[in-house]
Amino acid sequence: MQIEWLEVVTNKEVAHNIFELTLKGKMVSNMNRSGQFLHIKMKDPSLVLRRPISIASIDDETCTLLYRVVGKGTLEMTEWQPGDLVDTLGPLGNGFHLDFLKREEEVCIIGGGIGVAPLYELGKEVHARGNKITFILGFANADDIYYLEEFKQLGAVIVCTDDGSAGLKGHVGVALDQVNPTAVFACGPTPLLQLVQSHFSHLEHVYLSLEERMACGIGACYGCDTKDKKKRVCSDGPVFQKDEVMV
Ligand code: FES
């Protein structure tokens, strides 16, 4: 973990209110696992807390973040231009562990909304191991879909939208009976994680990445406790084996 001023390479909207921010700096060489996040400071001094943003892709000299514009901080981020420097703490958190994964395992990767973002780097890592992957990706509507072509390069993709404007109508639950995996990874809002946890309760290898508001991001403030108060999402997670946490 380190603080570094990362340089903005690109910053552009890729779907409705979803932006892709590519950053470069020495820190990228310490990013070696999907599911970790960066804790980013806004330039507006009135926005004191850093914003946790998951890492969507790790490449040779750059990393890519996908963020949804939800408030003042993320609105400020949309104004950042190539060459701007960004005060960044990271990489933080425990990401997805893949050591258990044997080549023959069928993997299902499930995400919803902005929770789809870290699953792209995860998908790249699982794909590089040669495993068969089915992605189940949920969005509010067709305008909110991002990275569809990128995910299709890595495996089969089932898209679900709340209003039925693309793919299956409904949340990701409508697609779960279409897959029979031996390992499952998921990231998204709490109802999605609860659904995955119960639907795949018979499987050992089910890993959930929790979304939580954070202050310090390094396990010091206890502001991101899990529901049972036994774990801190920022430092013990954000990725947990399904039986480790109450979601
Ligand atoms: Fe402070 Fe997690 S955000 S302990």
mmCIF file of all heavy atoms in Angstrom, residues 85-130:
data_model
loop_
_atom_site.group_PDB
_atom_site.id
_atom_site.type_symbol
_atom_site.label_atom_id
_atom_site.label_comp_id
_atom_site.label_asym_id
_atom_site.label_seq_id
_atom_site.Cartn_x
_atom_site.Cartn_y
_atom_site.Cartn_z
ATOM 1 N N LEU A 85 -3.005 15.011 -12.166
ATOM 2 C CA LEU A 85 -2.469 14.066 -11.188
ATOM 3 C C LEU A 85 -3.505 13.824 -10.087
ATOM 4 O O LEU A 85 -4.169 14.762 -9.634
ATOM 5 C CB LEU A 85 -1.170 14.603 -10.583
ATOM 6 C CG LEU A 85 -0.031 14.770 -11.598
ATOM 7 C CD1 LEU A 85 1.190 15.396 -10.936
ATOM 8 C CD2 LEU A 85 0.356 13.414 -12.215
ATOM 9 N N VAL A 86 -3.617 12.581 -9.667
ATOM 10 C CA VAL A 86 -4.670 12.168 -8.737
ATOM 11 C C VAL A 86 -4.028 11.528 -7.508
ATOM 12 O O VAL A 86 -3.258 10.553 -7.630
ATOM 13 C CB VAL A 86 -5.599 11.141 -9.431
ATOM 14 C CG1 VAL A 86 -6.676 10.680 -8.468
ATOM 15 C CG2 VAL A 86 -6.213 11.739 -10.687
ATOM 16 N N ASP A 87 -4.337 12.080 -6.344
ATOM 17 C CA ASP A 87 -3.799 11.578 -5.069
ATOM 18 C C ASP A 87 -4.464 10.227 -4.759
ATOM 19 O O ASP A 87 -5.661 10.167 -4.463
ATOM 20 C CB ASP A 87 -4.114 12.617 -3.980
ATOM 21 C CG ASP A 87 -3.590 12.213 -2.610
ATOM 22 O OD1 ASP A 87 -3.299 11.019 -2.402
ATOM 23 O OD2 ASP A 87 -3.503 13.092 -1.732
ATOM 24 N N THR A 88 -3.672 9.166 -4.808
ATOM 25 C CA THR A 88 -4.240 7.813 -4.759
ATOM 26 C C THR A 88 -3.554 6.972 -3.687
ATOM 27 O O THR A 88 -2.324 6.913 -3.624
ATOM 28 C CB THR A 88 -4.045 7.112 -6.127
ATOM 29 O OG1 THR A 88 -4.558 7.957 -7.148
ATOM 30 C CG2 THR A 88 -4.755 5.768 -6.161
ATOM 31 N N LEU A 89 -4.370 6.318 -2.855
ATOM 32 C CA LEU A 89 -3.868 5.370 -1.855
ATOM 33 C C LEU A 89 -4.228 3.964 -2.342
ATOM 34 O O LEU A 89 -5.377 3.694 -2.684
ATOM 35 C CB LEU A 89 -4.536 5.663 -0.514
ATOM 36 C CG LEU A 89 -4.331 4.680 0.637
ATOM 37 C CD1 LEU A 89 -2.868 4.653 1.080
ATOM 38 C CD2 LEU A 89 -5.226 5.064 1.821
ATOM 39 N N GLY A 90 -3.233 3.077 -2.386
ATOM 40 C CA GLY A 90 -3.570 1.733 -2.862
ATOM 41 C C GLY A 90 -2.341 0.924 -3.226
ATOM 42 O O GLY A 90 -1.216 1.379 -3.018
ATOM 43 N N PRO A 91 -2.511 -0.241 -3.809
ATOM 44 C CA PRO A 91 -3.798 -0.932 -3.918
ATOM 45 C C PRO A 91 -4.222 -1.466 -2.553
ATOM 46 O O PRO A 91 -3.385 -1.902 -1.772
ATOM 47 C CB PRO A 91 -3.514 -2.062 -4.904
ATOM 48 C CG PRO A 91 -2.035 -2.314 -4.780
ATOM 49 C CD PRO A 91 -1.405 -1.019 -4.400
ATOM 50 N N LEU A 92 -5.542 -1.449 -2.291
ATOM 51 C CA LEU A 92 -6.068 -1.826 -0.973
ATOM 52 C C LEU A 92 -6.966 -3.054 -1.064
ATOM 53 O O LEU A 92 -7.569 -3.338 -2.105
ATOM 54 C CB LEU A 92 -6.876 -0.665 -0.394
ATOM 55 C CG LEU A 92 -6.116 0.635 -0.119
ATOM 56 C CD1 LEU A 92 -7.083 1.709 0.373
ATOM 57 C CD2 LEU A 92 -5.009 0.434 0.904
ATOM 58 N N GLY A 93 -7.093 -3.732 0.080
ATOM 59 C CA GLY A 93 -8.042 -4.837 0.208
ATOM 60 C C GLY A 93 -7.493 -6.158 -0.288
ATOM 61 O O GLY A 93 -6.456 -6.229 -0.954
ATOM 62 N N ASN A 94 -8.213 -7.204 0.131
ATOM 63 C CA ASN A 94 -7.879 -8.556 -0.332
ATOM 64 C C ASN A 94 -8.793 -8.887 -1.493
ATOM 65 O O ASN A 94 -10.008 -8.868 -1.354
ATOM 66 C CB ASN A 94 -8.086 -9.568 0.797
ATOM 67 C CG ASN A 94 -7.001 -9.435 1.841
ATOM 68 O OD1 ASN A 94 -5.820 -9.534 1.524
ATOM 69 N ND2 ASN A 94 -7.391 -9.162 3.069
ATOM 70 N N GLY A 95 -8.201 -9.211 -2.603
ATOM 71 C CA GLY A 95 -8.980 -9.468 -3.802
ATOM 72 C C GLY A 95 -9.377 -10.932 -3.935
ATOM 73 O O GLY A 95 -9.444 -11.673 -2.953
ATOM 74 N N PHE A 96 -9.658 -11.328 -5.153
ATOM 75 C CA PHE A 96 -10.092 -12.694 -5.448
ATOM 76 C C PHE A 96 -8.874 -13.629 -5.483
ATOM 77 O O PHE A 96 -7.904 -13.364 -6.189
ATOM 78 C CB PHE A 96 -10.792 -12.745 -6.815
ATOM 79 C CG PHE A 96 -12.111 -12.027 -6.844
ATOM 80 C CD1 PHE A 96 -12.219 -10.765 -7.422
ATOM 81 C CD2 PHE A 96 -13.247 -12.607 -6.301
ATOM 82 C CE1 PHE A 96 -13.446 -10.100 -7.454
ATOM 83 C CE2 PHE A 96 -14.475 -11.949 -6.326
ATOM 84 C CZ PHE A 96 -14.573 -10.692 -6.910
ATOM 85 N N HIS A 97 -8.962 -14.721 -4.720
ATOM 86 C CA HIS A 97 -7.911 -15.741 -4.744
ATOM 87 C C HIS A 97 -8.328 -16.817 -5.740
ATOM 88 O O HIS A 97 -9.455 -17.300 -5.693
ATOM 89 C CB HIS A 97 -7.736 -16.378 -3.370
ATOM 90 C CG HIS A 97 -7.154 -15.423 -2.370
ATOM 91 N ND1 HIS A 97 -5.826 -15.444 -2.005
ATOM 92 C CD2 HIS A 97 -7.712 -14.407 -1.677
ATOM 93 C CE1 HIS A 97 -5.601 -14.477 -1.127
ATOM 94 N NE2 HIS A 97 -6.730 -13.836 -0.913
ATOM 95 N N LEU A 98 -7.427 -17.209 -6.593
ATOM 96 C CA LEU A 98 -7.762 -18.206 -7.619
ATOM 97 C C LEU A 98 -6.933 -19.473 -7.473
ATOM 98 O O LEU A 98 -7.010 -20.365 -8.318
ATOM 99 C CB LEU A 98 -7.532 -17.604 -9.018
ATOM 100 C CG LEU A 98 -8.357 -16.359 -9.343
ATOM 101 C CD1 LEU A 98 -7.996 -15.824 -10.715
ATOM 102 C CD2 LEU A 98 -9.845 -16.664 -9.266
ATOM 103 N N ASP A 99 -6.149 -19.565 -6.394
ATOM 104 C CA ASP A 99 -5.213 -20.697 -6.258
ATOM 105 C C ASP A 99 -5.917 -22.048 -6.323
ATOM 106 O O ASP A 99 -5.348 -23.029 -6.782
ATOM 107 C CB ASP A 99 -4.457 -20.603 -4.916
ATOM 108 C CG ASP A 99 -3.739 -19.284 -4.783
ATOM 109 O OD1 ASP A 99 -3.579 -18.616 -5.807
ATOM 110 O OD2 ASP A 99 -3.361 -18.930 -3.655
ATOM 111 N N PHE A 100 -7.161 -22.113 -5.819
ATOM 112 C CA PHE A 100 -7.872 -23.389 -5.765
ATOM 113 C C PHE A 100 -8.346 -23.856 -7.141
ATOM 114 O O PHE A 100 -8.701 -25.011 -7.323
ATOM 115 C CB PHE A 100 -9.111 -23.251 -4.862
ATOM 116 C CG PHE A 100 -10.205 -22.441 -5.499
ATOM 117 C CD1 PHE A 100 -11.175 -23.049 -6.276
ATOM 118 C CD2 PHE A 100 -10.234 -21.056 -5.365
ATOM 119 C CE1 PHE A 100 -12.164 -22.299 -6.901
ATOM 120 C CE2 PHE A 100 -11.214 -20.306 -5.985
ATOM 121 C CZ PHE A 100 -12.173 -20.923 -6.751
ATOM 122 N N LEU A 101 -8.371 -22.936 -8.090
ATOM 123 C CA LEU A 101 -9.083 -23.165 -9.349
ATOM 124 C C LEU A 101 -8.345 -24.158 -10.251
ATOM 125 O O LEU A 101 -7.229 -23.897 -10.692
ATOM 126 C CB LEU A 101 -9.227 -21.823 -10.073
ATOM 127 C CG LEU A 101 -10.371 -21.633 -11.034
ATOM 128 C CD1 LEU A 101 -11.723 -21.885 -10.375
ATOM 129 C CD2 LEU A 101 -10.323 -20.218 -11.611
ATOM 130 N N LYS A 102 -8.996 -25.296 -10.502
ATOM 131 C CA LYS A 102 -8.404 -26.262 -11.439
ATOM 132 C C LYS A 102 -8.960 -25.975 -12.827
ATOM 133 O O LYS A 102 -10.038 -25.412 -12.973
ATOM 134 C CB LYS A 102 -8.756 -27.687 -11.021
ATOM 135 C CG LYS A 102 -8.214 -28.043 -9.655
ATOM 136 C CD LYS A 102 -8.394 -29.534 -9.380
ATOM 137 C CE LYS A 102 -7.952 -29.880 -7.978
ATOM 138 N NZ LYS A 102 -8.791 -29.271 -6.927
ATOM 139 N N ARG A 103 -8.220 -26.396 -13.828
ATOM 140 C CA ARG A 103 -8.560 -26.067 -15.209
ATOM 141 C C ARG A 103 -9.982 -26.514 -15.583
ATOM 142 O O ARG A 103 -10.670 -25.854 -16.353
ATOM 143 C CB ARG A 103 -7.511 -26.748 -16.106
ATOM 144 C CG ARG A 103 -7.674 -26.531 -17.576
ATOM 145 C CD ARG A 103 -7.033 -25.222 -18.018
ATOM 146 N NE ARG A 103 -7.187 -25.030 -19.433
ATOM 147 C CZ ARG A 103 -6.215 -25.188 -20.307
ATOM 148 N NH1 ARG A 103 -5.008 -25.536 -19.900
ATOM 149 N NH2 ARG A 103 -6.422 -24.993 -21.588
ATOM 150 N N GLU A 104 -10.433 -27.664 -15.023
ATOM 151 C CA GLU A 104 -11.722 -28.202 -15.442
ATOM 152 C C GLU A 104 -12.921 -27.519 -14.759
ATOM 153 O O GLU A 104 -14.069 -27.794 -15.101
ATOM 154 C CB GLU A 104 -11.785 -29.720 -15.208
ATOM 155 C CG GLU A 104 -11.645 -30.167 -13.770
ATOM 156 C CD GLU A 104 -10.191 -30.346 -13.324
ATOM 157 O OE1 GLU A 104 -9.278 -29.827 -13.996
ATOM 158 O OE2 GLU A 104 -9.977 -31.007 -12.284
ATOM 159 N N GLU A 105 -12.643 -26.663 -13.786
ATOM 160 C CA GLU A 105 -13.747 -26.004 -13.084
ATOM 161 C C GLU A 105 -14.522 -25.095 -14.048
ATOM 162 O O GLU A 105 -13.918 -24.351 -14.823
ATOM 163 C CB GLU A 105 -13.219 -25.108 -11.954
ATOM 164 C CG GLU A 105 -12.250 -25.775 -11.034
ATOM 165 C CD GLU A 105 -12.830 -26.060 -9.664
ATOM 166 O OE1 GLU A 105 -14.054 -26.004 -9.495
ATOM 167 O OE2 GLU A 105 -12.020 -26.341 -8.777
ATOM 168 N N GLU A 106 -15.857 -25.157 -13.945
ATOM 169 C CA GLU A 106 -16.686 -24.211 -14.697
ATOM 170 C C GLU A 106 -16.989 -23.038 -13.789
ATOM 171 O O GLU A 106 -17.467 -23.215 -12.657
ATOM 172 C CB GLU A 106 -17.978 -24.877 -15.134
ATOM 173 C CG GLU A 106 -17.759 -25.681 -16.395
ATOM 174 C CD GLU A 106 -19.067 -25.932 -17.135
ATOM 175 O OE1 GLU A 106 -19.932 -25.040 -17.199
ATOM 176 O OE2 GLU A 106 -19.179 -27.046 -17.641
ATOM 177 N N VAL A 107 -16.704 -21.868 -14.267
ATOM 178 C CA VAL A 107 -16.780 -20.676 -13.427
ATOM 179 C C VAL A 107 -17.960 -19.807 -13.857
ATOM 180 O O VAL A 107 -18.170 -19.587 -15.056
ATOM 181 C CB VAL A 107 -15.458 -19.870 -13.547
ATOM 182 C CG1 VAL A 107 -15.576 -18.532 -12.830
ATOM 183 C CG2 VAL A 107 -14.292 -20.685 -12.999
ATOM 184 N N CYS A 108 -18.710 -19.340 -12.885
ATOM 185 C CA CYS A 108 -19.765 -18.364 -13.158
ATOM 186 C C CYS A 108 -19.405 -17.070 -12.434
ATOM 187 O O CYS A 108 -19.077 -17.092 -11.241
ATOM 188 C CB CYS A 108 -21.120 -18.881 -12.691
ATOM 189 S SG CYS A 108 -22.458 -17.767 -13.116
ATOM 190 N N ILE A 109 -19.418 -15.979 -13.147
ATOM 191 C CA ILE A 109 -19.078 -14.669 -12.587
ATOM 192 C C ILE A 109 -20.309 -13.779 -12.717
ATOM 193 O O ILE A 109 -20.813 -13.573 -13.823
ATOM 194 C CB ILE A 109 -17.856 -14.067 -13.315
ATOM 195 C CG1 ILE A 109 -16.633 -14.983 -13.129
ATOM 196 C CG2 ILE A 109 -17.575 -12.659 -12.816
ATOM 197 C CD1 ILE A 109 -15.358 -14.492 -13.804
ATOM 198 N N ILE A 110 -20.781 -13.285 -11.570
ATOM 199 C CA ILE A 110 -22.083 -12.608 -11.524
ATOM 200 C C ILE A 110 -21.908 -11.189 -10.984
ATOM 201 O O ILE A 110 -21.291 -10.990 -9.929
ATOM 202 C CB ILE A 110 -23.042 -13.387 -10.600
ATOM 203 C CG1 ILE A 110 -23.179 -14.829 -11.097
ATOM 204 C CG2 ILE A 110 -24.416 -12.709 -10.543
ATOM 205 C CD1 ILE A 110 -23.822 -15.759 -10.085
ATOM 206 N N GLY A 111 -22.438 -10.217 -11.700
ATOM 207 C CA GLY A 111 -22.301 -8.840 -11.235
ATOM 208 C C GLY A 111 -23.532 -8.028 -11.525
ATOM 209 O O GLY A 111 -24.322 -8.351 -12.413
ATOM 210 N N GLY A 112 -23.685 -6.949 -10.764
ATOM 211 C CA GLY A 112 -24.809 -6.053 -10.990
ATOM 212 C C GLY A 112 -24.369 -4.611 -10.892
ATOM 213 O O GLY A 112 -23.586 -4.244 -10.014
ATOM 214 N N GLY A 113 -24.823 -3.783 -11.838
ATOM 215 C CA GLY A 113 -24.543 -2.349 -11.798
ATOM 216 C C GLY A 113 -23.059 -2.065 -11.838
ATOM 217 O O GLY A 113 -22.300 -2.673 -12.589
ATOM 218 N N ILE A 114 -22.607 -1.163 -10.967
ATOM 219 C CA ILE A 114 -21.187 -0.806 -10.963
ATOM 220 C C ILE A 114 -20.349 -1.953 -10.383
ATOM 221 O O ILE A 114 -19.134 -2.002 -10.545
ATOM 222 C CB ILE A 114 -20.953 0.535 -10.224
ATOM 223 C CG1 ILE A 114 -19.615 1.143 -10.615
ATOM 224 C CG2 ILE A 114 -21.109 0.378 -8.731
ATOM 225 C CD1 ILE A 114 -19.449 1.461 -12.087
ATOM 226 N N GLY A 115 -21.020 -2.922 -9.730
ATOM 227 C CA GLY A 115 -20.324 -4.116 -9.231
ATOM 228 C C GLY A 115 -19.782 -5.000 -10.345
ATOM 229 O O GLY A 115 -18.977 -5.909 -10.089
ATOM 230 N N VAL A 116 -20.176 -4.721 -11.566
ATOM 231 C CA VAL A 116 -19.635 -5.481 -12.703
ATOM 232 C C VAL A 116 -18.161 -5.114 -12.939
ATOM 233 O O VAL A 116 -17.372 -5.921 -13.431
ATOM 234 C CB VAL A 116 -20.484 -5.185 -13.977
ATOM 235 C CG1 VAL A 116 -19.812 -5.682 -15.241
ATOM 236 C CG2 VAL A 116 -21.884 -5.787 -13.825
ATOM 237 N N ALA A 117 -17.787 -3.892 -12.542
ATOM 238 C CA ALA A 117 -16.465 -3.358 -12.909
ATOM 239 C C ALA A 117 -15.277 -4.255 -12.516
ATOM 240 O O ALA A 117 -14.467 -4.616 -13.375
ATOM 241 C CB ALA A 117 -16.300 -1.955 -12.336
ATOM 242 N N PRO A 118 -15.132 -4.662 -11.249
ATOM 243 C CA PRO A 118 -13.947 -5.452 -10.891
ATOM 244 C C PRO A 118 -13.956 -6.845 -11.501
ATOM 245 O O PRO A 118 -12.932 -7.540 -11.506
ATOM 246 C CB PRO A 118 -14.010 -5.520 -9.362
ATOM 247 C CG PRO A 118 -15.448 -5.318 -9.026
ATOM 248 C CD PRO A 118 -15.974 -4.373 -10.075
ATOM 249 N N LEU A 119 -15.120 -7.258 -12.009
ATOM 250 C CA LEU A 119 -15.223 -8.612 -12.561
ATOM 251 C C LEU A 119 -14.559 -8.712 -13.924
ATOM 252 O O LEU A 119 -14.308 -9.818 -14.408
ATOM 253 C CB LEU A 119 -16.702 -9.024 -12.642
ATOM 254 C CG LEU A 119 -17.430 -8.961 -11.294
ATOM 255 C CD1 LEU A 119 -18.889 -9.362 -11.462
ATOM 256 C CD2 LEU A 119 -16.728 -9.846 -10.253
ATOM 257 N N TYR A 120 -14.251 -7.571 -14.535
ATOM 258 C CA TYR A 120 -13.549 -7.635 -15.820
ATOM 259 C C TYR A 120 -12.104 -8.122 -15.604
ATOM 260 O O TYR A 120 -11.655 -9.047 -16.280
ATOM 261 C CB TYR A 120 -13.572 -6.273 -16.522
ATOM 262 C CG TYR A 120 -12.828 -6.324 -17.829
ATOM 263 C CD1 TYR A 120 -13.195 -7.236 -18.819
ATOM 264 C CD2 TYR A 120 -11.734 -5.505 -18.076
ATOM 265 C CE1 TYR A 120 -12.488 -7.330 -20.008
ATOM 266 C CE2 TYR A 120 -11.025 -5.585 -19.266
ATOM 267 C CZ TYR A 120 -11.410 -6.493 -20.219
ATOM 268 O OH TYR A 120 -10.693 -6.584 -21.395
ATOM 269 N N GLU A 121 -11.391 -7.526 -14.655
ATOM 270 C CA GLU A 121 -10.028 -8.002 -14.386
ATOM 271 C C GLU A 121 -10.063 -9.453 -13.898
ATOM 272 O O GLU A 121 -9.232 -10.281 -14.300
ATOM 273 C CB GLU A 121 -9.331 -7.103 -13.352
ATOM 274 C CG GLU A 121 -7.934 -7.554 -12.944
ATOM 275 C CD GLU A 121 -6.931 -7.619 -14.095
ATOM 276 O OE1 GLU A 121 -7.059 -6.829 -15.050
ATOM 277 O OE2 GLU A 121 -6.029 -8.467 -14.043
ATOM 278 N N LEU A 122 -11.043 -9.782 -13.042
ATOM 279 C CA LEU A 122 -11.183 -11.172 -12.587
ATOM 280 C C LEU A 122 -11.380 -12.100 -13.793
ATOM 281 O O LEU A 122 -10.732 -13.150 -13.888
ATOM 282 C CB LEU A 122 -12.375 -11.288 -11.632
ATOM 283 C CG LEU A 122 -12.777 -12.702 -11.253
ATOM 284 C CD1 LEU A 122 -11.700 -13.373 -10.394
ATOM 285 C CD2 LEU A 122 -14.121 -12.714 -10.521
ATOM 286 N N GLY A 123 -12.264 -11.703 -14.700
ATOM 287 C CA GLY A 123 -12.518 -12.515 -15.893
ATOM 288 C C GLY A 123 -11.254 -12.725 -16.708
ATOM 289 O O GLY A 123 -10.993 -13.828 -17.190
ATOM 290 N N LYS A 124 -10.450 -11.685 -16.837
ATOM 291 C CA LYS A 124 -9.188 -11.820 -17.590
ATOM 292 C C LYS A 124 -8.289 -12.861 -16.932
ATOM 293 O O LYS A 124 -7.653 -13.674 -17.601
ATOM 294 C CB LYS A 124 -8.454 -10.474 -17.658
ATOM 295 C CG LYS A 124 -9.102 -9.467 -18.583
ATOM 296 C CD LYS A 124 -8.142 -8.326 -18.941
ATOM 297 C CE LYS A 124 -7.662 -7.541 -17.766
ATOM 298 N NZ LYS A 124 -6.670 -6.530 -18.032
ATOM 299 N N GLU A 125 -8.222 -12.811 -15.587
ATOM 300 C CA GLU A 125 -7.326 -13.732 -14.869
ATOM 301 C C GLU A 125 -7.827 -15.177 -14.967
ATOM 302 O O GLU A 125 -7.037 -16.105 -15.161
ATOM 303 C CB GLU A 125 -7.189 -13.291 -13.398
ATOM 304 C CG GLU A 125 -6.446 -11.963 -13.281
ATOM 305 C CD GLU A 125 -6.435 -11.391 -11.866
ATOM 306 O OE1 GLU A 125 -6.838 -12.087 -10.913
ATOM 307 O OE2 GLU A 125 -6.026 -10.216 -11.724
ATOM 308 N N VAL A 126 -9.153 -15.373 -14.849
ATOM 309 C CA VAL A 126 -9.717 -16.730 -14.943
ATOM 310 C C VAL A 126 -9.564 -17.248 -16.379
ATOM 311 O O VAL A 126 -9.189 -18.403 -16.609
ATOM 312 C CB VAL A 126 -11.197 -16.742 -14.513
ATOM 313 C CG1 VAL A 126 -11.811 -18.113 -14.740
ATOM 314 C CG2 VAL A 126 -11.332 -16.331 -13.051
ATOM 315 N N HIS A 127 -9.801 -16.388 -17.339
ATOM 316 C CA HIS A 127 -9.677 -16.761 -18.754
ATOM 317 C C HIS A 127 -8.238 -17.186 -19.064
ATOM 318 O O HIS A 127 -8.005 -18.166 -19.779
ATOM 319 C CB HIS A 127 -10.094 -15.572 -19.626
ATOM 320 C CG HIS A 127 -10.025 -15.832 -21.082
ATOM 321 N ND1 HIS A 127 -8.997 -15.395 -21.894
ATOM 322 C CD2 HIS A 127 -10.863 -16.517 -21.902
ATOM 323 C CE1 HIS A 127 -9.218 -15.780 -23.125
ATOM 324 N NE2 HIS A 127 -10.330 -16.469 -23.176
ATOM 325 N N ALA A 128 -7.279 -16.479 -18.493
ATOM 326 C CA ALA A 128 -5.862 -16.804 -18.740
ATOM 327 C C ALA A 128 -5.504 -18.184 -18.197
ATOM 328 O O ALA A 128 -4.563 -18.828 -18.668
ATOM 329 C CB ALA A 128 -4.971 -15.733 -18.097
ATOM 330 N N ARG A 129 -6.272 -18.664 -17.220
ATOM 331 C CA ARG A 129 -6.038 -19.997 -16.671
ATOM 332 C C ARG A 129 -6.686 -21.076 -17.525
ATOM 333 O O ARG A 129 -6.531 -22.262 -17.249
ATOM 334 C CB ARG A 129 -6.607 -20.094 -15.255
ATOM 335 C CG ARG A 129 -5.799 -19.328 -14.234
ATOM 336 C CD ARG A 129 -6.554 -19.240 -12.922
ATOM 337 N NE ARG A 129 -5.660 -18.814 -11.876
ATOM 338 C CZ ARG A 129 -5.098 -19.626 -10.973
ATOM 339 N NH1 ARG A 129 -5.373 -20.914 -10.958
ATOM 340 N NH2 ARG A 129 -4.264 -19.156 -10.076
ATOM 341 N N GLY A 130 -7.505 -20.685 -18.491
ATOM 342 C CA GLY A 130 -8.118 -21.647 -19.408
ATOM 343 C C GLY A 130 -9.462 -22.185 -18.960
ATOM 344 O O GLY A 130 -9.991 -23.124 -19.557
#
